[in-house]
Amino acid sequence: MGDEKRDVPRGEASACAQGQQIEALARGLGPFDATMIVIGSMIGSGIFIVSAESARLVGAPGWLLAAWALAGALTITGALCCAELAAMMPRAGGQYVFLREAYHPAIGFLFGWSLFIVIQTGTIAAVAVAFANFLGVFTDKVSPTRYLIEPIHLGPYALSFSTQQMVAVALIALLTWTNTRGLEIGKLVQNVFTFTKTAALAGLILVGLVFGWNTASAAYTSDWWDPWANGWSPQAVQPSLQASGVLALLMLLGRAMTGPLFAQSAWNNVTFTGSETRDPGRTLPRALLYGCATVVALYLLANLSYVVVLPFDAIQRAPQGRVATAAMQAVLGAPGQFIMAAAIMISTFGCNNGLILAGARVYYAMARDGLFFSRVGELNARRVPAAALIAQGAWASILTLPRTVAVDTRTGAMQYGNVYTQLLEYIIAADLIFYVLMVGAVIRLRRRLPEAPRPYRTRGYPFVPLIYMVLATLLICDLIYLAPTTSGIGFLLVMTGLPVYLIWQKRAAPRSVFEAAEG
């Protein structure tokens, strides 16, 4: 035990059950690497496409920017709180460990279970398909309708294997394999692609703001704060909505925030790598704060560039939601389409590497606690959780195959969507609850363990945690009201983990990080 205590870096509590794990995992992530994981996991394809739906929901450029700003405020306040927990408990699994320690192992397990069945793996699948989708801009051989296996219908769903799905699966397999080769390779890929795509996004923003500004854009031709003056109607956007006036606008503003929140999600992924971060008491808080602030600023500027380049109806009706592509085509002409496609491919490649690298550490931590398949809790010769990476990659690949089926009422043609998109929509409200619980853990642990080492303390405590919790709770209630069936299915998906937990907990042996502090 004495050796374990000497190896525990500054910012960690006394030696615990994961002491052997801390020694086994390589501490190879420095401040720059950790920040690149934050930025790289956040910037995917969302910033380039979700503004179309948000613009339709709120009907005015000022409210579109407000949706992104409010989502950014939630991200920053959440990161400020998460930074305290990450510095306090720098363990593999991150948020899983925070929830386990603050509440109960079952809460941590349900978070990890949701991450594995939908949140992380579904996002990996979505980002991989987005990569393949934009590869299709350069070659028609990669297409959702060029099938290697034609759709096999199973009621309202189908299974298929198109060239687009093949590319998505190949990307997941490639990045899973590179991450099994060791942390050094994984972080090299992350650093190179994150730096490149961040520079590309900044460049695209500058092109829009410097060369694309024009008097036909939404900034000049639309009322900034009165959506009704722009021809907007809340009932046209949400036919079932009973509210009217300002209340209807505020409720739809909440729904318009879901896209921006999804685009800004995964900032917590760096906490999953806590056992592989050098000097985590300093590194993790700085990575969270610098990384989140950078992305929030870039996203606000990107949306401002859309507003000064395109008319508002062009933002709302961008083909396939590709607002960024429409903006670049407006400024650069036909080459803009290919420039954007290349930029998004770089962005999604780097994003998926970060998601794959970090996500596997959660299942690894669960398995170490006896709450997942034991093989997943093992490391390979290169000191990375290869089995966890493979399990994650396999399930994410499977999620690319099922399709939703709908019939176009005008043409009678079959239209195919993606099941993972449906699953991610279902689980948004439930995922937000896990974030609220994580932020609440700061307050809970301050009261329960006031003397525990805290290398970083949340600035603005207790107001910052309370602001996040109030805003996020209002948003959750809004989503449940506007989409009760969708939210209900999401909660049911989370609760499918409960019987699994009851089975595994019989052999589980999680020990508190704070056993010594609690006496």
Side-chain angles (χ1 to χ4, degrees):
M1 289 293 290
D3 291 338
E4 288 180 12
K5 289 181 181 179
R6 285 194 295 272
D7 286 340
V8 174
R10 179 174 57 180
E12 294 191 19
S14 301
C16 65
Q18 291 190 2
Q20 293 177 344
Q21 161 206 311
I22 292 170
E23 291 182 335
L25 287 165
R27 288 199 177 274
L29 299 175
F32 180 77
D33 307 318
T35 305
M36 290 297 99
I37 289 176
V38 175
I39 295 174
S41 298
M42 291 175 74
I43 302 177
S45 59
I47 180 57
F48 305 110
I49 57 178
V50 301
S51 291
E53 176 65 13
S54 294
R56 287 192 291 269
L57 286 167
V58 293
W63 290 111
L64 171 63
L65 293 177
W68 281 92
L70 286 170
L74 276 173
T75 297
I76 295 296
T77 53
L80 284 167
C81 298
C82 184
E84 177 171 322
L85 299 172
M88 190 180 181
M89 295 173 278
R91 299 289 191 271
Q95 189 173 347
Y96 158 75
V97 176
F98 309 158
L99 296 175
R100 183 194 74 193
E101 295 296 325
Y103 303 104
H104 190 275
I107 303 298
F109 175 82
L110 289 176
F111 167 74
W113 174 258
S114 304
L115 208 73
F116 182 78
I117 64 168
V118 178
I119 298 171
Q120 196 82 358
T121 50
T123 304
I124 290 168
V127 173
V129 171
F131 174 90
N133 184 27
F134 284 93
L135 178 60
V137 172
F138 296 96
T139 172
D140 60 4
K141 292 182 178 179
V142 178
S143 167
T145 57
R146 189 182 283 264
Y147 293 108
L148 301 175
I149 300 176
E150 293 283 339
I152 302 169
H153 288 256
L154 304 167
Y157 297 96
L159 290 173
S160 70
F161 195 59
S162 65
T163 53
Q164 184 186 79
Q165 290 167 297
M166 179 185 70
V167 169
V169 171
L171 177 65
I172 294 169
L174 172 64
L175 291 175
T176 297
W177 176 78
T178 58
N179 277 282
T180 64
R181 309 308 292 171
L183 184 62
E184 289 299 316
I185 295 177
K187 78 174 186 181
L188 176 63
V189 172
Q190 189 66 25
N191 292 348
V192 169
F193 276 86
T194 299
F195 181 83
T196 303
K197 71 179 178 180
T198 304
L201 178 57
L204 293 170
I205 290 169
L206 285 174
V207 168
L209 294 178
V210 175
F211 301 106
W213 205 293
N214 67 88
T215 55
S217 68
Y220 292 92
T221 60
S222 297
D223 191 293
W224 272 71
W225 299 105
D226 184 358
W228 288 273
N230 299 328
W232 173 87
S233 165
Q235 278 67 40
V237 174
Q238 181 93 19
S240 61
L241 185 63
Q242 300 297 316
S244 60
V246 174
L247 178 60
L249 175 59
L250 292 177
M251 293 182 73
L252 290 170
L253 174 64
R255 188 170 181 185
M257 288 171 58
T258 58
L261 279 172
F262 179 76
Q264 294 176 32
S265 65
W267 50 266
N268 59 335
N269 275 215
V270 73
T271 70
F272 304 165
T273 64
S275 289
E276 295 159 285
T277 305
R278 295 193 297 270
D279 192 10
R282 289 169 57 87
T283 298
L284 291 174
R286 291 183 178 187
L288 281 163
L289 300 180
Y290 296 158
C292 288
T294 299
V295 174
V296 168
L298 287 172
Y299 280 9
L300 283 171
L301 289 171
N303 278 276
L304 179 62
S305 73
Y306 301 156
V307 168
V308 302
V309 170
L310 296 170
F312 201 65
D313 63 344
I315 297 174
Q316 294 173 310
R317 299 183 179 87
Q320 297 180 293
R322 297 177 182 178
V323 181
T325 300
M328 287 303 100
Q329 284 182 300
V331 178
L332 303 175
Q337 176 184 7
F338 299 101
I339 293 171
M340 276 309 310
I344 294 173
M345 287 177 64
I346 293 169
S347 181
T348 49
F349 191 98
C351 178
N352 242 1
N353 184 75
L355 294 171
I356 288 168
L357 185 157
R361 274 62 181 176
V362 176
Y363 327 129
Y364 167 76
M366 292 167 66
R368 297 279 297 189
D369 287 343
L371 292 173
F372 211 63
F373 300 106
S374 57
R375 182 69 183 274
V376 172
E378 298 176 3
L379 302 178
N380 67 6
R382 292 177 172 83
R383 301 171 71 182
V384 293
L389 284 161
I390 292 168
Q392 174 183 254
W395 182 241
S397 297
I398 289 170
L399 286 177
T400 67
L401 305 181
R403 312 293 298 273
T404 57
V405 181
V407 178
D408 190 319
T409 54
R410 293 172 298 175
T411 65
M414 291 285 185
Q415 294 181 322
Y416 296 98
N418 296 296
V419 166
Y420 61 75
T421 303
Q422 193 177 64
L423 293 173
L424 287 169
E425 289 173 355
Y426 288 154
I427 212 161
I428 286 173
D431 190 27
L432 277 170
I433 288 177
F434 285 122
Y435 277 96
V436 172
L437 288 172
M438 178 180 68
V439 171
V442 175
I443 298 173
R444 183 174 173 82
L445 290 175
R446 285 274 188 112
R447 293 184 175 185
R448 200 181 96 201
L449 295 169
E451 303 302 321
R454 288 177 172 83
Y456 172 86
R457 288 176 173 263
T458 299
R459 296 175 184 175
Y461 179 90
F463 300 107
V464 167
L466 291 174
I467 288 170
Y468 181 94
M469 293 173 71
V470 169
L471 287 176
T473 300
L474 288 172
L475 180 57
I476 292 165
C477 293
D478 188 34
L479 293 175
I480 292 172
Y481 176 80
L482 293 174
T485 302
T486 298
S487 299
I489 293 172
F491 293 128
L492 288 175
L493 283 171
V494 172
M495 295 311 293
T496 60
L498 195 55
V500 181
Y501 170 78
L502 293 175
I503 294 170
W504 263 323
Q505 65 92 27
K506 294 176 182 177
R507 65 179 178 87
R511 293 176 62 195
S512 173
V513 171
F514 304 108
E515 279 187 341
E518 292 177 315

